[in-house]
Amino acid sequence: MAMVPGGGKKSRAEEDDHISRLPDAILEEIVSLLPTKDGGRTQILSSRWRPIWLAAPLNLDIHHRPPFQRLIPAGEISGILSSHPGPGRRFRIPRDYLEHDDRAAATLDGWLRSPVLDGLQELEFHYGDWEKSPLPPLPASAHRFSSTLRALLGGCPVLQSLMITSCIGCCTRIRIVSSTLRSIGVHISWGGIKLRQLAIEDAPCLERLLLFGQGFSKKLVISVISAPKLEILGQLPFKGLRVEFGATAIQGSSVLNSTMVVPSVKVLALTQKDLSLDVVIDFMKCFPCLEKLYIKLTRMYNQPTKSKSEVTNAWCRKYRNLISALDIRLKKIVVTTYRGNKAHVNFAKFFVLNAGVLESMVLEVDVANYYSKTWIERQHTLLQIDNSASKGARFDFVSHGGWPATLEYIWSDQVHDLSTADPFVGFDKWACSPD
């Protein structure tokens, strides 16, 4: 125990509480980054913490919560807005809060007019029923944050990440010109999708273009006109999406024309119906500096693994002359789901024997095979791992019992978390589900 002014004593917990000794400004910044419930609960920690939540910018983020945590009831939102003095930093409301509200316009208008939200920097809400058309007009209060929002397309000087989701009822063409944008995510879901073209006309700082969802059966063309620093591309689906880099065209997960190479791309994620070496080699020609490759296979485990139309990936004769000319710079390869059949073995063995700078190959397998020592040993033999072209490479077989139900949050984090150099880290843990 230690003495404090007035003759009292500090408890051991107080002596070890270094966080509480931080200046108020830093504590307020910490609290403003916490989930809404957690931020509010800091008031009960001690008398030192009691005023911090009210002094910190309000983070009213109900959309982003830990899995299985109960949502804050809609009726409590007005109470939070009336009890906090502001200013507001973030206001995010899930889809079901307004989707079936007969007075949705009035409810939303009441929230957005709150003076607590003056100076709001981040705003997200889902408005109207996406199955019905046309969508109701937004209340005028939704436009009052145009000078402070950090995710406003028109004339925003600080925009760094942008998530385009659903695009139901919007215009058919979106043009992007931004000197600060570093990350773009496009999530298309089923429904009345009108977006047909996304043109990235001038984005000198753009580093990642991430594509999610199952609604790409609708035709959508993404034209990358000028993005010289684009390093990360994916997850390319296999349906109706077309991505164009000048004269180079990619349709779904296949390269249609690679007249112009794109040397800036170093990380690529693909969605494939069959594991195809021909397709991957086409992408390697298109992106000659590729260092990381992630492939998601969409078939379920209980579906047939072999058919007359399935590729064999036989390459010894087919690519005999190409191997010496192809500069394979891949350092990391992740495949979900690897089945260990002839086609998959041929695919993986190509890189085992020819990727001279390979550092890691991760093969996500069925749980039954994962726990079979005999199966794993046979795969090591078939892949000729002892003869690997890269002597320091790791070859790991992994397995996961399922896939998270919170992919929406993973997608959002991939787009907005710019502190992660590779947004597909952990790809084998969450991307093994079928479309």
Side-chain angles (χ1 to χ4, degrees):
M1 304 288 285
M3 301 297 295
V4 296
K9 295 181 179 180
K10 283 186 177 181
S11 67
R12 178 58 59 87
E14 289 176 317
E15 289 181 9
D16 296 338
D17 184 9
H18 300 295
I19 295 180
S20 294
R21 300 176 189 174
L22 294 172
D24 284 3
I26 296 179
L27 293 179
E28 292 166 10
E29 182 69 17
I30 293 173
V31 169
S32 70
L33 297 174
L34 293 174
T36 304
K37 278 191 174 183
D38 294 339
R41 287 171 177 167
T42 59
Q43 298 176 93
I44 66 174
L45 293 177
S46 67
S47 58
R48 170 74 176 91
W49 284 86
R50 193 166 299 130
I52 298 298
W53 182 72
L54 293 175
L58 177 61
N59 174 26
L60 188 45
D61 186 350
I62 300 174
H63 187 79
H64 194 189
R65 69 189 192 282
F68 310 113
Q69 185 183 86
R70 185 178 70 88
L71 283 172
I72 296 174
E76 293 185 11
I77 295 178
S78 298
I80 295 174
L81 292 174
S82 63
S83 63
H84 198 285
R89 166 175 286 181
R90 180 183 295 112
F91 187 77
R92 300 182 69 200
I93 302 298
R95 180 189 303 276
D96 53 352
Y97 272 55
L98 296 171
E99 192 171 34
H100 304 294
D101 186 348
D102 294 335
R103 301 184 66 254
T107 301
L108 179 62
D109 187 62
W111 291 339
L112 297 184
R113 288 190 183 279
S114 170
V116 175
L117 299 182
D118 290 352
L120 192 67
Q121 296 178 5
E122 299 179 32
L123 173 63
E124 179 181 337
F125 58 88
H126 299 264
Y127 186 67
D129 189 340
W130 66 271
E131 294 180 341
K132 298 179 180 179
S133 182
L135 293 177
L138 291 176
S141 56
H143 301 283
R144 76 182 188 92
F145 309 107
S146 59
S147 62
T148 58
L149 285 180
R150 291 187 175 182
L152 187 68
L153 268 179
C156 180
V158 293
L159 180 65
Q160 292 194 49
S161 60
L162 171 68
M163 183 73 166
I164 302 173
T165 179
S166 294
C167 299
I168 300 169
C170 71
C171 59
T172 59
R173 187 172 187 266
I174 295 177
R175 296 169 56 241
I176 293 180
V177 176
S178 172
S179 61
T180 57
L181 194 59
R182 294 174 55 194
S183 177
I184 297 176
V186 182
H187 175 210
I188 303 297
S189 59
W190 302 110
I193 303 166
K194 291 187 177 180
L195 182 63
R196 291 292 176 264
Q197 185 175 12
L198 172 63
I200 304 175
E201 295 188 357
D202 187 14
C205 294
L206 186 65
E207 300 167 359
R208 59 181 72 172
L209 175 58
L210 307 178
L211 312 164
F212 314 106
Q214 299 180 354
F216 285 107
S217 59
K218 300 284 186 178
K219 292 183 178 180
L220 171 63
V221 177
I222 299 180
S223 301
V224 182
I225 300 170
S226 178
K229 293 185 178 181
L230 182 64
E231 290 191 359
I232 301 169
L233 177 63
Q235 159 184 342
L236 290 178
F238 61 87
K239 294 183 180 178
L241 176 69
R242 181 183 177 97
V243 181
E244 298 176 345
F245 294 88
T248 293
I250 299 168
Q251 184 75 42
S253 60
S254 299
V255 178
L256 299 183
N257 180 18
S258 57
T259 304
M260 182 183 76
V261 299
V262 186
S264 63
V265 174
K266 296 181 179 179
V267 181
L268 176 67
L270 301 174
T271 298
Q272 290 190 339
K273 197 171 184 179
D274 296 297
L275 191 58
S276 172
L277 182 59
D278 292 344
V279 168
V280 170
I281 287 179
D282 285 343
F283 274 105
M284 291 169 60
K285 294 176 180 177
C286 180
F287 306 124
C289 298
L290 198 62
E291 295 181 358
K292 296 181 180 180
L293 174 65
Y294 300 88
I295 301 177
K296 170 188 172 184
L297 299 180
T298 59
R299 284 183 177 176
M300 297 180 67
Y301 288 115
N302 59 0
Q303 288 182 315
T305 59
K306 189 172 183 180
S307 66
K308 293 181 179 179
S309 61
E310 186 173 343
V311 295
T312 63
N313 291 324
W315 54 267
C316 290
R317 294 184 180 180
K318 185 175 183 178
Y319 292 123
R320 180 182 302 169
N321 298 326
L322 175 67
I323 291 174
S324 59
L326 188 64
D327 184 11
I328 303 177
R329 303 188 185 186
L330 284 171
K331 297 180 180 180
K332 181 177 181 179
I333 300 173
V334 177
V335 177
T336 71
T337 303
Y338 177 82
R339 302 183 185 91
N341 57 26
K342 184 176 181 179
H344 287 205
V345 168
N346 286 341
F347 178 92
K349 187 165 66 173
F350 175 86
F351 295 101
V352 171
L353 301 181
N354 297 294
V357 296
L358 187 66
E359 297 175 357
S360 171
M361 178 180 288
V362 179
L363 304 175
E364 193 266 345
V365 303
D366 177 60
V367 64
N369 292 329
Y370 176 73
Y371 287 107
S372 172
K373 183 179 180 180
T374 301
W375 190 90
I376 295 294
E377 290 178 348
R378 176 169 170 75
Q379 289 299 311
H380 275 260
T381 301
L382 293 173
L383 294 175
Q384 300 182 28
I385 287 177
D386 290 341
N387 298 324
S388 170
S390 177
K391 300 307 179 184
R394 286 177 53 100
F395 298 92
D396 297 314
F397 293 88
V398 302
S399 181
H400 305 286
W403 60 291
T406 54
L407 285 179
E408 186 172 352
Y409 304 122
I410 294 175
W411 293 334
S412 179
D413 288 344
Q414 282 184 297
V415 175
H416 298 303
D417 184 5
L418 300 176
S419 65
T420 304
D422 182 357
F424 295 112
V425 169
F427 182 87
D428 56 293
K429 297 180 176 63
W430 59 264
C432 55
S433 65
D435 281 345

